[in-house]
């Protein structure tokens, strides 16, 4: 992995507006992504973790411009994606791809595995029919689909095999950057490990950079180089994986780690499981967004929103009270 930044978001914000209430002047809105600034290095896997509804999938879609951000920038290799012409955006789409959670609903049931993986090549008018056939067969072989299954339909495959086809489809154009959005969440545990290992192996072979989105800290630990923790649309902690799991600084991260049900004899359990539900997105708390669930909240937390600051080398945290190392 190099130190070169391949993808960057600057103050990226996504708001969704609801209907105006009778007699109200303003439309209510949800800020799903709230001024997120992230840098992803060439060849790394950045894990993005948080509870359902925290905005992590919206952030992924905004990076890919599957939804238009309300404000902020996405830079790919220094180029502002919002300023890209239609032609440039088409070229950029070859470089940035996505693997979704549910391969069954993201694959057309009327197309064979071969046709599904060939389709992006046809859309981008790449190669002759024979060249495309060779490339598709090679890609499917790389993800572990044997030649005898090329002309089967999605319903004839298992969940893990369907996800392998989804991965082949995402990688057939030779992208530099992929977003895996809950890509293994729908799979059985044993299959999950196989797909994670496959992604790791393909990453090395193809020099990929990954943003891996998951609500599951065990999965994030398995695959990531660095980890960003998201809460109500904001990044609250960001650190190299080993540092984050050994010395979580933000009470929310400490709570998430405490909530992992599998006992870990190497880790002191931190009895800080978050209480209550994630607040209604239409009514985000003032000050620190976590203050109504945080066991350490003080007056300053209710008044002032903490900025994401570097607490120690490469370890960033947004908390008024976080010190350099946790004192568990
Ligand atoms: Fe808890 Fe205060 Fe830190 Fe927010 S700023 S996480 S409320 S201690």
């Amino acid at each position: 992995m190099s130190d070169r930044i391949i993808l960057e978001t600057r103050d990226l914000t996504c708001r969704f507006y609801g209907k105006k209430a009778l007699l109200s002047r303003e439309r209510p809105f949800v800020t799903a992504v709230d001024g997120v600034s992230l840098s992803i290095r060439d060849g790394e896997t950045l894990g993005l973790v948080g509870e359902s509804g925290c905005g992590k999938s919206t952030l992924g879609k905004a990076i890919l411009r599957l939804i238009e951000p309300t404000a902020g920038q996405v830079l790919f290799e220094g180029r502002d994606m919002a300023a890209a012409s239609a032609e440039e955006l088409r070229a950029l789409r070859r470089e940035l791809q996505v693997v979704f959670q549910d391969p069954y609903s993201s694959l057309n049931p009327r197309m064979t595995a071969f046709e599904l993986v060939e389709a992006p090549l046809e859309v981008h008018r790449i190669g002759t029919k024979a060249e495309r056939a060779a490339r598709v067969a090679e890609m499917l072989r790389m993800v572990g689909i044997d030649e005898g299954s090329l002309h089967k339909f999605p319903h004839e495959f298992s969940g893990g095999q369907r996800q392998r086809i989804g991965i082949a489809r995402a990688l057939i154009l030779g992208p530099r950057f992929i977003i895996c959005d809950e890509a293994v969440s729908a799979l059985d545990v044993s299959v999950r490990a196989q797909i994670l290992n496959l992604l790791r192996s393909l990453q090395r072979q193809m020099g990929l950079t990954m943003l891996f989105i998951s609500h599951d800290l065990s999965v994030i630990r398995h695959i990531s180089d660095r980890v960003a923790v998201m809460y109500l649309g904001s990044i609250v902690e960001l650190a190299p994986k080993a540092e984050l799991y050994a010395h979580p600084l933000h009470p929310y991260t400490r709570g998430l780690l405490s909530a992992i049900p599998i006992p870990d004899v190497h880790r002191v359990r931190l009895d800080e499981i978050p209480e209550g539900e994630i607040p209604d997105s239409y009514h985000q708390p003032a000050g620190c967004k976590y203050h109504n669930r945080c066991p350490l909240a003080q007056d300053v937390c209710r008044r002032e929103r903490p900025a994401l600051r570097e607490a120690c080398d490469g370890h960033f945290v947004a908390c008024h009270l976080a010190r350099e190392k946790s004192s568990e």
Side-chain angles (χ1 to χ4, degrees), residues 250-252 288 290-291 294 296-298 301 306 318-322:
H250 197 282
Y252 178 59
C288 173
Y290 189 56
H291 82 246
C294 180
L296 308 178
Q298 300 187 2
C301 308
C319 172
H320 293 304
L321 307 184

Side-chain angles (χ1 to χ4, degrees), residues 3-129:
D3 283 339
R4 200 168 65 85
I5 302 299
I6 187 167
L7 188 129
E8 194 179 347
T9 67
R10 292 186 185 161
D11 283 326
L12 198 64
T13 300
C14 299
R15 275 192 188 146
F16 300 106
Y17 288 85
K19 281 192 180 157
K20 239 194 297 187
L22 205 64
L23 305 178
S24 168
R25 286 187 174 183
E26 289 171 7
R27 286 169 68 193
F29 61 82
V30 171
T31 306
V33 176
D34 194 1
V36 168
S37 297
L38 276 178
S39 297
I40 306 179
R41 297 175 193 141
D42 195 10
E44 84 166 330
T45 299
L46 179 69
L48 181 62
V49 70
E51 288 167 290
S52 298
C54 73
K56 52 192 190 306
S57 291
T58 306
L59 175 60
K61 288 188 179 119
I63 288 173
L64 295 169
R65 285 192 65 189
L66 296 177
I67 56 172
E68 279 302 316
T70 313
Q73 286 181 300
V74 179
L75 305 175
F76 182 71
E77 300 218 294
R79 283 173 289 170
D80 183 353
M81 289 181 59
S85 64
E87 190 59 32
E88 286 169 333
L89 197 58
R90 193 177 149 84
L92 278 170
R93 292 217 186 281
R94 288 180 59 174
E95 308 261 20
L96 290 90
Q97 291 289 319
V98 61
V99 179
F100 292 108
Q101 174 178 2
D102 181 358
Y104 201 56
S105 60
S106 61
L107 300 178
N108 185 334
R110 293 188 190 84
M111 292 170 81
T112 65
F114 182 90
E115 290 166 341
L116 285 161
V117 179
E118 188 192 23
L121 295 174
E122 286 185 327
V123 168
H124 287 268
R125 299 195 188 97
I126 294 170
T128 62
K129 188 80 188 156

Side-chain angles (χ1 to χ4, degrees), residues 91-325:
L92 278 170
R93 292 217 186 281
R94 288 180 59 174
E95 308 261 20
L96 290 90
Q97 291 289 319
V98 61
V99 179
F100 292 108
Q101 174 178 2
D102 181 358
Y104 201 56
S105 60
S106 61
L107 300 178
N108 185 334
R110 293 188 190 84
M111 292 170 81
T112 65
F114 182 90
E115 290 166 341
L116 285 161
V117 179
E118 188 192 23
L121 295 174
E122 286 185 327
V123 168
H124 287 268
R125 299 195 188 97
I126 294 170
T128 62
K129 188 80 188 156
E131 286 165 347
R132 286 201 295 268
R135 195 157 159 180
V136 171
E138 169 64 6
M139 192 72 245
L140 283 167
R141 188 195 59 73
M142 283 172 74
V143 300
I145 299 291
D146 63 74
E147 224 170 298
S149 302
L150 296 188
H151 301 290
K152 287 185 180 170
F153 291 91
H155 72 269
E156 297 178 87
F157 292 98
S158 68
Q161 286 172 321
R162 280 197 290 268
Q163 194 55 295
R164 287 173 192 269
I165 295 166
I167 292 168
R169 193 174 150 87
L171 298 186
I172 191 71
L173 294 172
R176 306 272 314 284
F177 180 89
I178 60 167
I179 295 183
C180 297
D181 187 1
E182 299 281 7
V184 296
S185 301
L187 304 176
D188 291 337
V189 176
S190 57
V191 180
R192 198 178 290 179
Q194 289 170 18
I195 298 295
L196 289 174
N197 291 337
L198 172 68
L199 283 167
R200 266 297 202 197
S201 152
L202 291 169
Q203 181 181 33
R204 278 193 293 273
Q205 287 176 58
M206 301 178 72
L208 289 168
T209 304
M210 282 201 282
L211 175 64
F212 198 96
I213 298 171
S214 178
H215 65 278
D216 186 333
L217 274 158
S218 318
V219 167
I220 289 287
R221 185 178 205 167
H222 188 93
I223 198 151
S224 309
D225 299 304
R226 289 188 303 149
V227 179
V229 181
M230 198 165 185
Y231 186 76
L232 275 181
S234 300
I235 302 298
V236 296
E237 187 157 11
L238 169 68
K241 173 178 68 177
E243 165 71 11
L244 185 114
Y245 281 80
H247 304 289
L249 296 180
H250 197 282
Y252 178 59
T253 312
R254 294 161 68 99
L256 286 181
L257 288 170
S258 296
I260 295 175
I262 302 164
D264 179 351
V265 292
H266 300 298
R267 181 168 60 79
V268 178
R269 284 190 65 87
L270 309 162
D271 192 18
E272 293 176 358
I273 297 174
E275 289 182 1
E277 296 285 321
I278 197 162
D280 166 13
S281 301
Y282 279 101
H283 304 100
Q284 295 197 1
C288 173
K289 293 180 191 177
Y290 189 56
H291 82 246
N292 57 343
R293 300 174 79 193
C294 180
L296 308 178
Q298 300 187 2
D299 281 350
V300 64
C301 308
R302 288 178 260 277
R303 284 195 315 270
E304 293 172 26
R305 184 154 296 175
L308 191 66
R309 63 184 167 84
E310 191 166 14
C312 47
D313 198 21
H315 192 156
F316 296 81
V317 64
C319 172
H320 293 304
L321 307 184
R323 295 181 300 276
E324 275 209 359
K325 294 276 191 229

